């Protein structure tokens, strides 16, 4: 039995289309906000049926060397189909190129969902294919789509004229280390436990039941508080590093309560150290915090842990305070380091 295609993000689930999606998809293609940009999607209900049959049949023949995949975007809380996102060939582009394409319902725009879907799709495809790069084309007037691509790491290359005699901005994104990072849910945390144990304390021993229970309680507490766990997987798919970040969104009218984000934990497995992976993970946390509107990112560490302080310093963090005696009267306290994001 083949593995289902798809993945989940913070707010969305990208999943395989089914024939049950026909009415909702047809409704989306009635939105001029979509079809004015993507006229090919202005299809009849019968055309939608035939198109979905083709898409659904393609899932059985997914080929990592010849990527063609289109997934439904479902809002996790509302349980509604709100758009689509995929990576596949475009007849107007060179045969070897694969384009990322996407659309979101007018009722779910300006909430960051399009960027969330595109970033998730990029990471998913790079993890499940041999593609060296992904391209994108955007009509010059479509500033919103351009912002999505730029936030997702695409670089503008040139303005090109394609076979439909229209001009497009052409973007490209190369496969890179940042796309080996993915969201980690609590049920997927197991491969990262050894890394997190070492981060918490050098003497934390997972073979000690009491230590193990303490570690799992702490991780569960982080998840309940709303912390985000981002794992780095090596090319073999093994857990190589992890960063844990907490950013609590502000209630309406009190922006100051959402101004800060905190790195709770960051660690890299022994065999993957000294390769810049820690800096890649930290930058990912910075980018997420910045995209959520945080003013600064801060962290706390042992005041005597000079290697950790040097690592953060190399990445632009500045010591701003020391809290003495928090570990006992004869021990150094906690150093607080901060980086302003905007």
């Amino acid at each position: 039995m083949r593995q289902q295609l798809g993945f989940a993000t913070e707010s969305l689930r990208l999943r395989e289309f089914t024939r049950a999606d026909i009415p909702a998809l047809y409704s989306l293609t009635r939105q001029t906000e979509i079809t004015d940009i993507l006229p090919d999607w202005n299809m009849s209900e019968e055309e939608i049926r035939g198109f979905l049959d083709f898409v659904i049949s393609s899932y059985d023949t997914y080929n990592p060397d010849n990527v063609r995949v289109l997934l439904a975007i479902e809002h996790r809380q509302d349980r509604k189909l709100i758009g689509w996102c995929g990576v596949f060939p475009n007849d107007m582009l060179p045969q070897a190129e694969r384009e990322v394409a996407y659309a979101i319902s007018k009722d779910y725009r300006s909430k960051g969902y399009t960027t969330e879907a595109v970033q998730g799709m990029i990471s998913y495809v790079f993890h499940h294919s041999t593609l060296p790069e992904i391209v994108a084309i955007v009509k010059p007037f479509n500033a919103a789509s351009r912002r999505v691509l730029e936030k997702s790491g695409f670089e503008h290359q040139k303005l090109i004229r394609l076979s439909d005699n229209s001009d497009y901005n052409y973007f490209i994104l190369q496969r890179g280390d940042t796309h080996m990072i993915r969201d980690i849910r609590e049920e997927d945390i197991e491969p990262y436990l050894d890394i997190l144990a070492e981060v918490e304390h050098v003497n934390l021993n997972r073979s000690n039941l009491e230590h193990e229970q303490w570690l799992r309680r702490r991780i569960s507490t982080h998840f309940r508080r709303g912390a985000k766990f981002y794992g780095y997987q090596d090319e073999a798919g093994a857990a190589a590093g992890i960063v844990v970040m907490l950013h609590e969104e502000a209630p309406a009218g009190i922006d100051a309560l959402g101004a800060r984000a905190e790195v709770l934990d960051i660690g890299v497995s022994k065999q993957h150290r000294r390769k810049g992976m820690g800096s890649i993970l930290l930058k990912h946390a910075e980018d997420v915090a910045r995209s959520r509107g945080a003013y600064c990112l801060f962290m706390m560490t042992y005041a005597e842990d000079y290697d950790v302080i040097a690592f953060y310093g190399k990445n632009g963090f500045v010591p701003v305070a020391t809290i003495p005696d928090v570990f006992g009267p004869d021990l150094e306290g906690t150093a607080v380091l901060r980086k302003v994001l905007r």
Side-chain angles (χ1 to χ4, degrees):
M1 183 176 180
R2 71 171 178 84
Q3 185 175 355
Q4 292 282 303
L5 302 177
F7 58 92
T9 65
E10 179 181 354
S11 305
L12 310 171
R13 188 164 72 96
L14 277 81
R15 57 164 176 81
E16 296 181 5
F17 275 104
T18 71
R19 289 184 63 83
D21 292 316
I22 290 173
L25 182 59
Y26 178 68
S27 178
L28 286 176
T29 63
R30 300 307 91 203
Q31 295 184 7
T32 56
E33 291 83 357
I34 291 177
T35 55
D36 283 351
I37 303 294
L38 303 170
D40 289 348
W41 281 87
N42 190 6
M43 293 184 271
S44 68
E45 189 165 2
E46 191 59 34
E47 288 172 325
I48 288 287
R49 287 181 188 276
F51 175 72
L52 265 196
D53 283 343
F54 168 76
V55 169
I56 292 168
S57 67
S58 73
Y59 298 142
D60 289 331
T61 57
Y62 177 80
N63 183 348
D65 298 320
N66 184 22
V67 176
R68 298 166 184 263
V69 59
L70 180 69
L71 298 177
I73 302 175
E74 182 180 283
H75 192 273
R76 292 178 66 177
Q77 182 174 351
D78 295 351
R79 307 294 289 270
K80 289 182 179 180
L81 177 71
I82 66 170
W84 59 83
C85 186
V87 173
F88 39 76
N90 183 328
D91 291 341
M92 295 191 296
L93 295 172
Q95 186 176 4
E97 293 189 348
R98 292 295 180 269
E99 177 200 10
V100 63
Y102 44 87
I104 291 279
S105 167
K106 62 182 176 64
D107 301 320
Y108 287 84
R109 294 185 179 179
S110 302
K111 301 177 186 295
Y113 294 150
T114 309
T115 301
E116 189 174 329
V118 170
Q119 290 179 349
M121 177 61 73
I122 290 164
S123 178
Y124 181 80
V125 167
F126 277 138
H127 272 85
H128 295 85
S129 78
T130 59
L131 279 182
E133 62 190 27
I134 297 173
V135 304
I137 55 172
V138 177
K139 291 180 178 176
F141 64 81
N142 194 347
S145 191
R146 178 170 185 148
R147 285 194 297 272
V148 167
L149 293 174
E150 290 173 341
K151 287 180 181 179
S152 301
F154 283 80
E155 293 187 3
H156 181 259
Q157 300 293 305
K158 56 188 174 182
L159 185 69
I160 59 173
R161 175 157 291 190
L162 297 179
S163 58
D164 63 350
N165 291 318
S166 296
D167 291 331
Y168 293 85
N169 284 308
Y170 177 85
F171 293 81
I172 193 167
L173 177 65
Q174 302 281 348
R175 176 188 288 271
D177 284 340
T178 55
H179 304 110
M180 307 303 283
I181 298 173
R182 67 181 185 93
D183 291 3
I184 304 298
R185 298 171 297 178
E186 188 167 4
E187 56 265 36
D188 301 322
I189 199 67
E190 200 73 26
Y192 297 89
L193 288 178
D194 285 340
I195 300 173
L196 289 169
E198 187 175 4
V199 169
E200 292 294 349
H201 198 282
V202 66
N203 292 326
L204 197 65
N205 180 2
R206 292 191 60 209
S207 64
N208 181 315
L209 180 59
E210 198 172 330
H211 289 194
E212 175 76 356
Q213 290 174 339
W214 181 92
L215 177 65
R216 291 182 181 274
R217 283 198 304 271
R218 181 168 175 81
I219 290 169
S220 291
T221 298
H222 286 339
F223 274 108
R224 286 198 301 273
R225 292 180 66 196
K228 303 301 177 186
F229 288 62
Y230 302 105
Y232 188 112
Q233 293 181 323
D234 63 18
E235 293 183 356
I242 192 166
V243 62
V244 185
M245 187 196 74
L246 176 66
H247 175 250
E248 297 171 307
E249 293 185 356
I254 315 179
D255 292 343
L257 292 181
R260 68 178 192 175
E262 181 182 359
V263 176
L264 299 175
D265 284 316
I266 185 169
V268 175
S269 65
K270 291 179 181 178
Q271 60 268 38
H272 291 93
R273 290 175 188 168
R274 303 193 182 282
K275 299 177 182 179
M277 194 178 297
S279 294
I280 292 169
L281 283 163
L282 185 57
K283 183 180 184 304
H284 184 80
E286 290 178 26
D287 290 343
V288 172
R290 188 179 291 108
S291 71
R292 292 169 65 98
Y295 167 74
C296 74
L297 183 63
F298 76 99
M299 60 79 58
M300 295 186 289
T301 189
Y302 302 117
E304 60 186 0
D305 200 338
Y306 304 119
D307 288 342
V308 171
I309 292 171
F311 163 75
Y312 279 94
K314 181 182 71 173
N315 285 281
F317 283 72
V318 177
V320 292
T322 301
I323 307 173
D325 300 337
V326 293
F327 303 112
D330 300 321
L331 299 172
E332 293 195 38
T334 293
V336 181
L337 295 93
R338 181 198 67 176
K339 182 174 184 177
V340 174
L341 303 178
R342 55 181 169 87

